[in-house]
Amino acid sequence: MLQNEVLKNIEYRRAVFQANYTDQEVTREELLTILEAANAAPTHKRTQPWRFVIFRNEGLIRLGDELARIYKSVTPAEKYTEATEQNMAKKATQSKAALAIIVDYSGDLPEWEELAATACAVENMWLAAASIGIGGYWATPGLINHIGPFLNLKENQRCIGFFYMGHHESEPREPVRGPIEDKIRWEE
């Protein structure tokens, strides 16, 4: 198989969670580099539907508090646990940066196309972060269905998750994927 730095970065990109983050700050410059990569994603009719709200420092505390508040307010009493409430806040505050991932539906295209373009932007962002030593992962808790007012979302916008990030010193892990031959069919 052909191998270069881009392909290697694609193959070895992994979810890196808060327990592996160091105390090193994710700088504004690093975030802008990562977001410029996101902004280079393909998009039908150039709608560029991806939007991001960036949380750092005190913003992470506010995000964590809001996620915990939402969890407590929407979780039925029989499913509620204090540990889960605290964990909602902790995911944000143990990160060095978090991005709310938002789709801005244009109304000109099917929603799935706008969602797919935004997912491409997230993958570009993830690859860019990995290439500069920043780990992260895309979290999609059910709470995102209630976060719109906190994020000041417009009627045509929807939050589809959070991308939590931090510098890390984790060793690359071998990819765990089934063979591509099991996932393709040739029609020649």
Side-chain angles (χ1 to χ4, degrees):
M1 180 172 128
L2 293 174
Q3 193 68 306
N4 63 37
E5 286 304 309
V6 171
L7 293 173
K8 185 177 176 185
N9 197 24
I10 291 169
E11 186 176 2
Y12 282 88
R13 187 245 0 110
R14 294 289 168 269
V16 179
F17 301 102
Q18 288 88 339
N20 297 308
Y21 297 165
T22 67
D23 290 335
Q24 183 179 351
E25 173 188 14
V26 176
T27 67
R28 290 175 70 93
E29 293 76 23
E30 289 169 326
L31 287 167
L32 287 172
T33 296
I34 291 165
L35 289 165
E36 285 293 342
N39 202 40
T43 172
H44 189 195
K45 293 192 179 182
R46 298 188 184 116
T47 60
Q48 302 173 49
W50 46 84
R51 302 291 184 271
F52 304 98
V53 177
I54 305 163
F55 296 92
R56 291 181 24 176
N57 306 315
E58 296 298 316
L60 290 167
I61 295 169
R62 287 190 300 277
L63 174 61
D65 289 347
E66 181 63 9
L67 290 171
R69 185 199 68 74
I70 292 171
Y71 171 79
K72 191 172 186 175
S73 71
V74 302
T75 304
E78 66 275 6
K79 292 185 178 184
Y80 170 86
T81 68
E82 189 174 336
T84 302
E85 179 184 350
Q86 291 171 355
N87 192 43
M88 288 294 158
K90 212 159 121 178
K91 284 183 179 183
T93 58
Q94 286 183 327
S95 300
K96 298 305 171 191
L99 304 177
I101 304 163
I102 299 161
V103 182
D104 187 63
Y105 295 106
S106 67
D108 295 334
L109 297 170
E111 285 188 5
W112 74 265
E113 288 190 31
E114 307 277 46
L115 183 60
T118 304
C120 287
V122 172
E123 179 67 0
N124 280 7
M125 181 172 67
W126 208 333
L127 290 167
S131 77
I132 59 175
I134 295 172
Y137 72 100
W138 185 351
T140 57
L143 303 179
I144 59 176
N145 296 321
H146 307 279
I147 197 84
F150 175 75
L151 297 174
N152 297 316
L153 297 185
K154 298 175 190 168
E155 193 172 313
N156 67 314
Q157 295 179 328
R158 188 175 72 184
C159 179
I160 59 169
F162 293 98
F163 193 77
Y164 293 111
M165 289 183 272
H167 285 274
H168 67 100
E169 296 170 355
S170 304
E171 291 296 319
R173 297 187 314 264
E174 283 297 316
V176 180
R177 299 283 188 267
I180 189 62
E181 292 79 13
D182 294 347
K183 301 167 186 158
I184 60 175
R185 182 179 72 211
W186 296 93
E187 296 282 342
E188 297 183 296

